């Protein structure tokens, strides 16, 4: 356990961190033209905001004492113009930067989703789908703080604070110095707090993904939960995850509260001191009432952005933590990025050969041992054996979902580990025992591999798989909605729909994980006919549970404990009276 903890710590230290400089180069700089326009608008808005306190000084020191009504109207016109400019620039900023930030978020989500789909099957086997949804949808949202509202507040606030500081120094340097001391203390506290908060935010993203992942599983498996009366158990698991998230949020809130309370106290001290010093100067006639009001209002313009920086800092810290996790995902190696995969298959006959292939999911725990066989083009190879014997692993290697630990798998005499996946998989069709269907209509699911297929091709696939046998009874036929994962269809109907999808795809190589296992006797008879059509002139590897369905296979491989213990046709294996004979006669009795 200690070794595992140490190695995870090393991984954390070596993990790339997204800095503000890196975020600027990759996110802000490519949008520099829009950002520049935004910065100009921010400057105009900030300067327009300073007009009101300046004109307040003019009102008290010049207009009121002179009782000049015309000057009063001019002052009001200037203030109204400044307010109008602020409103226009604020609207323009929202349209330019905030909308652009949302566009960037959608763009990043698309990139992350594209990257996720390019990752190998092993990645998905070890990652919850709900966690991936969180990483795709939530982790990139912080970008809006880098190029949207956060950038506006950060740059606008900084510019306003600097201009205000210059004005304050010109008005009264000693009063300004008195204010600057507590603000410097606040800045130090804020920087320390941000350093503490960033890893908290990073961990929050991970916890959030875990909680969402479990929730997604719970909702998908609600029938199992209710069937086993396990609602309370699931509630406890979810409550534990939510509490973990709460504890994380509590940590960040504590740091934020420290910044807020320290700012309140320090600014209160500064304000009290200004009242005393300003009052003294006015008593000594070294400062007019207008000057004091002007100083106070400008002080507010300087302090407000600085205090606001604590909130902006939290937003930017959270954004960078999310981008840390996004970059970690984007740095993963995609399947097609393997530099060894350089062979582009132009045409495919479909001969698959396993030559001394071994495979292990975990180090030193082989599940296949020196497997060798040839599946000639257009032939049917059936894999038979007890559960856990290695049949699905052989199918996974044939589908390029897995890569051999040793040995070689070839397609038409080409090393499959060096073939570009897209050029191979475009000729591949898979029908699983528990076939996945998408929420939508029957038509959409069948046409999934070939959205542009003609109506005639669709009808041929529907008839070949006997899908019309049940869709003709539905009011909406092929337009019938099947619900999430096809829940509104029976197991046999789902299986026939999956076979129709494979027929429409028209692949050269078919991998069947016993496509008739979920069917009743009547449906099985129908499907067996359509399967005979599906496998015709196609290289087929079928994992057989019902041995009665593979009598016509060109070769049957009996797999036990990762070894091929028998091979031959149905008649040959029955004549041998070995393992296959035992399995077949046992099923026949049942």
């Amino acid at each position: 356990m200690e070794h595992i903890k140490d190695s995870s710590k090393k991984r954390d230290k070596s993990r790339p961190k997204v800095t503000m400089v890196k975020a600027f180069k990759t996110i802000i700089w490519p949008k520099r033209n829009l950002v520049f326009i935004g910065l100009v608008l921010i400057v105009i808005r900030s300067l327009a905001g300073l007009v009101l306190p300046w004109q307040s000084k003019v009102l008290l020191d010049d207009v009121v004492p002179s009782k000049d009504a015309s000057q009063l109207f001019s002052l009001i016109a200037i203030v109204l113009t400044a307010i109008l400019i602020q409103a226009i620039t604020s609207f323009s900023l929202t349209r330019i930067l905030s909308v652009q930030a949302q566009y960037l978020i959608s763009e990043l989500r698309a990139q992350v989703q594209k990257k996720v789909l390019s990752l190998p099957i092993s990645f998905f086997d070890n990652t919850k789908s709900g966690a991936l949804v969180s990483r795709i949808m939530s982790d990139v949202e912080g970008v809006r703080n880098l190029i949207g509202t956060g950038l506006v507040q950060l740059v606008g606030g900084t510019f306003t604070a600097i201009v205000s500081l210059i004005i304050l120094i010109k008005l009264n340097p000693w009063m300004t110095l008195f204010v600057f001391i507590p603000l410097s203390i606040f800045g130090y506290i804020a920087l320390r707090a941000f350093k503490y908060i960033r890893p908290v935010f990073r961990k929050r993203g991970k916890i959030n993904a875990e909680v969402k992942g479990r929730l997604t599983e719970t909702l998908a498996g609600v029938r199992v939960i209710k069937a086993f009366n396990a609602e309370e158990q699931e509630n406890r698991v979810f409550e534990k995850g939510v509490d973990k998230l709460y504890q994380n949020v509590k940590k960040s809130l504590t740091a934020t509260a420290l910044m807020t309370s320290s700012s309140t106290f320090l600014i209160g001290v500064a304000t009290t001191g200004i009242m005393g010093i300003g009052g003294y100067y006015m008593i000594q006639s070294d400062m007019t009432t207008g000057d004091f009001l002007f100083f106070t209002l400008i002080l507010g313009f300087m302090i407000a952005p600085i205090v606001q920086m604590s909130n902006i800092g939290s937003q930017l810290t959270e954004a960078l933590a999310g981008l840390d996790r996004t970059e970690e995902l984007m740095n993963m190696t995609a399947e097609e990025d393997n530099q060894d995969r350089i062979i582009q298959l132009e045409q495919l006959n479909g001969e698959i050969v396993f030559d001394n292939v071994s495979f292990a999911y975990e180090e030193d725990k082989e599940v296949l041992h020196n497997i060798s066989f040839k599946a000639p083009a257009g032939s049917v190879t059936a894999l038979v054996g007890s559960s856990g014997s290695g049949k699905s692993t052989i199918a996974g290697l044939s589908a390029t979902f897995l890569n051999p630990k040793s040995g070689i798998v070839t397609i038409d005499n080409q090393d499959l580990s060096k073939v570009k996946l897209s050029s191979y998989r475009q000729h591949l069709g898979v029908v699983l025992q528990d076939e996945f269907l998408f929420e939508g209509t029957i038509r959409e699911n069948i046409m999934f591999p070939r959205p542009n297929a003609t109506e005639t091709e669709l009808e041929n696939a529907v008839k070949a798989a006997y899908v019309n046998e049940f869709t003709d009874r539905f009011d909406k036929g092929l337009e019938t909605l099947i619900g999430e994962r096809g829940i509104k269809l029976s197991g046999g109907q789902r299986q026939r729909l999956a076979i129709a999808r494979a027929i429409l795809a028209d692949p050269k190589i078919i991998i069947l994980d016993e496509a008739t296992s979920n069917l009743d006797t009547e449906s099985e008879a129908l499907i067996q006919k359509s399967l005979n059509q599906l496998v015709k002139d196609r290289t087929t590897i079928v994992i057989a549970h019902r041995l009665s369905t593979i009598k016509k296979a060109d070769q049957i491989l009996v797999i036990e404990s990762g070894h091929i213990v028998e091979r031959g046709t149905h008649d040959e294996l029955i004549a041998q009276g070995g393992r296959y004979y035992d399995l077949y006669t046992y099923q026949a009795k049942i």
Side-chain angles (χ1 to χ4, degrees):
M1 286 296 291
E2 290 300 320
H3 172 72
I4 294 171
K5 287 179 183 176
D6 290 343
S7 63
S8 66
K9 283 179 183 177
K10 287 177 184 176
R11 283 197 301 272
D12 286 342
K13 286 181 181 178
S14 62
R15 187 178 285 153
K17 291 288 189 292
V18 179
T19 62
M20 275 302 296
V21 174
K22 190 170 186 178
F24 178 85
K25 287 180 180 178
T26 57
I27 295 172
I28 297 175
W29 185 246
K31 307 291 181 184
R32 55 188 176 276
N33 292 335
L34 282 173
V35 171
F36 177 74
I37 294 171
L39 294 178
V40 171
L41 290 172
I42 290 169
V43 170
I44 293 171
R45 191 184 71 168
S46 300
L47 291 174
L50 295 172
V51 170
L52 180 60
W54 170 46
Q55 291 301 312
S56 298
K57 167 181 163 52
V58 173
L59 177 68
L60 290 178
D61 287 352
D62 298 335
V63 177
V64 173
S66 64
K67 297 180 181 179
D68 188 342
S70 62
Q71 193 177 357
L72 177 62
F73 291 130
S74 299
L75 183 146
I76 292 171
I78 291 170
V79 172
L80 286 174
T81 302
I83 292 170
L84 179 62
I85 291 171
Q86 276 187 291
I88 293 171
T89 50
S90 293
F91 173 79
S92 301
L93 280 169
T94 302
R95 285 288 300 146
I96 292 173
L97 292 184
S98 296
V99 172
Q100 183 62 33
Q102 290 301 321
Y103 170 74
L104 196 56
I105 288 171
S106 65
E107 207 174 44
L108 274 173
R109 280 176 178 154
Q111 288 176 16
V112 176
Q113 191 260 4
K114 184 178 179 181
K115 180 68 177 186
V116 167
L117 285 185
S118 74
L119 297 174
I121 292 293
S122 57
F123 170 78
F124 297 93
D125 291 341
N126 297 307
T127 312
K128 290 182 179 179
S129 57
L132 287 176
V133 170
S134 175
R135 297 188 75 162
I136 293 168
M137 296 302 294
S138 302
D139 285 352
V140 301
E141 283 189 350
V143 169
R144 69 174 179 270
N145 295 318
L146 293 177
I147 202 169
T149 53
L151 180 68
V152 171
Q153 291 173 340
L154 180 67
V155 176
T158 303
F159 178 79
T160 303
I162 292 171
V163 173
S164 299
L165 180 62
I166 293 169
I167 295 171
L168 291 175
I169 292 171
K170 286 188 175 182
L171 278 172
N172 195 308
W174 293 110
M175 288 172 66
T176 305
L177 179 63
F178 183 85
V179 172
F180 203 72
I181 293 170
L183 286 180
S184 299
I185 297 171
F186 168 71
Y188 174 76
I189 294 171
L191 287 173
R192 296 288 295 178
F194 293 147
K195 191 175 180 181
Y196 167 79
I197 288 175
R198 182 166 180 177
V200 174
F201 278 136
R202 182 176 175 81
K203 193 173 181 182
R204 181 183 302 175
K206 185 179 178 183
I207 297 169
N208 208 16
E210 288 173 355
V211 172
K212 285 183 180 178
R214 182 66 185 199
L215 180 59
T216 303
E217 284 183 342
T218 300
L219 296 176
V222 68
R223 283 172 173 76
V224 176
I225 293 167
K226 288 186 176 293
F228 288 98
N229 195 33
E231 290 94 336
E232 281 302 316
Q233 177 182 318
E234 279 303 304
N235 289 341
R236 284 195 296 271
V237 171
F238 186 70
E239 285 168 7
K240 187 177 179 181
V242 170
D243 181 67
K244 198 175 177 183
L245 188 60
Y246 158 71
Q247 296 297 336
N248 179 277
V249 172
K250 189 166 72 172
K251 282 184 180 180
S252 63
L253 287 176
T254 301
T256 306
L258 176 65
M259 286 190 289
T260 305
S261 58
S262 63
S263 68
T264 303
F265 174 73
L266 292 169
I267 289 167
V269 170
T271 305
T272 306
I274 293 303
M275 288 177 65
I277 299 171
Y280 173 79
Y281 279 128
M282 284 190 288
I283 290 171
Q284 297 296 319
S285 299
D286 291 333
M287 177 179 273
T288 65
T289 307
D291 285 337
F292 181 74
L293 178 63
F294 187 36
F295 187 94
T296 306
L297 292 174
I298 293 295
L299 181 62
F301 271 82
M302 187 185 77
I303 289 176
I306 293 174
V307 174
Q308 198 179 40
M309 292 294 176
S310 62
N311 183 42
I312 300 166
S314 297
Q315 291 176 0
L316 294 178
T317 303
E318 189 171 7
L320 293 175
L323 290 174
D324 276 346
R325 286 165 48 77
T326 300
E327 175 147 312
E328 181 187 323
L329 200 58
M330 295 300 285
N331 285 340
M332 290 182 177
T333 305
E335 282 183 310
E336 289 283 22
D337 289 346
N338 188 332
Q339 294 180 349
D340 292 334
R341 293 192 177 276
I342 56 175
I343 300 171
Q344 179 77 27
L345 295 176
E346 299 300 336
Q347 290 184 329
L348 193 71
N349 292 319
E351 182 182 81
I352 297 175
V353 177
F354 275 59
D355 184 10
N356 216 30
V357 171
S358 296
F359 180 82
Y361 290 99
E362 297 177 32
E363 196 68 32
D364 301 325
K365 291 184 180 179
E366 282 192 355
V367 293
L368 292 183
H369 313 283
N370 306 317
I371 297 291
S372 295
F373 70 90
K374 179 195 281 189
S379 68
V380 176
T381 299
L383 307 177
V384 174
S386 55
S387 179
S389 60
K391 303 185 300 296
S392 294
T393 304
I394 292 173
L397 289 163
S398 304
T400 63
F401 295 157
L402 305 170
N403 293 311
K405 176 187 173 186
S406 62
I408 185 173
V409 181
T410 64
I411 178 73
D412 295 347
N413 296 318
Q414 301 280 9
D415 184 351
L416 202 50
S417 67
K418 295 180 180 178
V419 170
K420 289 188 177 180
L421 291 172
S422 57
S423 72
Y424 174 68
R425 288 180 181 168
Q426 66 178 333
H427 301 292
L428 178 70
V430 179
V431 180
L432 302 174
Q433 182 179 354
D434 184 20
E435 190 57 75
F436 184 91
L437 299 177
F438 295 91
E439 185 174 8
T441 65
I442 293 173
R443 175 190 292 274
E444 288 168 346
N445 272 276
I446 295 175
M447 295 185 72
F448 178 75
R450 288 179 60 198
N452 298 322
T454 65
E455 196 67 22
T456 302
E457 290 170 328
L458 172 64
E459 288 177 8
N460 290 339
V462 166
K463 289 176 182 176
Y466 295 91
V467 170
N468 59 314
E469 186 271 334
F470 63 86
T471 56
D472 288 347
R473 300 197 303 267
F474 295 161
D475 292 338
K476 294 185 178 180
L478 293 177
E479 305 304 327
T480 302
L481 292 169
I482 63 173
E484 189 175 7
R485 296 181 68 93
I487 196 67
K488 294 180 181 179
L489 300 178
S490 70
Q493 290 170 343
R494 288 198 295 272
Q495 209 68 49
R496 276 182 270 175
L497 199 158
I499 292 170
R501 182 164 65 187
I503 291 172
L504 185 67
D506 193 24
K508 283 281 187 179
I509 296 168
I510 297 260
I511 295 174
L512 301 172
D513 187 354
E514 188 51 280
T516 62
S517 61
N518 284 334
L519 305 182
D520 53 59
T521 305
E522 182 181 352
S523 294
E524 182 181 350
L526 295 173
I527 290 304
Q528 201 59 53
K529 291 179 183 178
S530 65
L531 283 177
N532 291 337
Q533 181 176 333
L534 175 62
V535 303
K536 187 178 180 182
D537 299 325
R538 295 181 173 97
T539 308
T540 304
I541 294 179
V542 54
I543 298 174
H545 299 285
R546 293 186 183 182
L547 303 188
S548 59
T549 64
I550 57 165
K551 289 180 180 179
K552 295 180 181 179
D554 296 292
Q555 66 173 330
I556 298 170
L557 306 179
V558 182
I559 316 295
E560 290 298 338
S561 302
H563 296 275
I564 298 177
V565 295
E566 291 178 8
R567 69 178 78 204
T569 63
H570 171 76
D571 293 336
E572 289 170 349
L573 292 175
I574 290 293
Q576 288 179 20
R579 177 62 176 157
Y580 180 80
Y581 175 84
D582 293 339
L583 290 170
Y584 186 79
T585 52
Y586 175 75
Q587 282 196 9
K589 289 176 185 177
I590 296 174

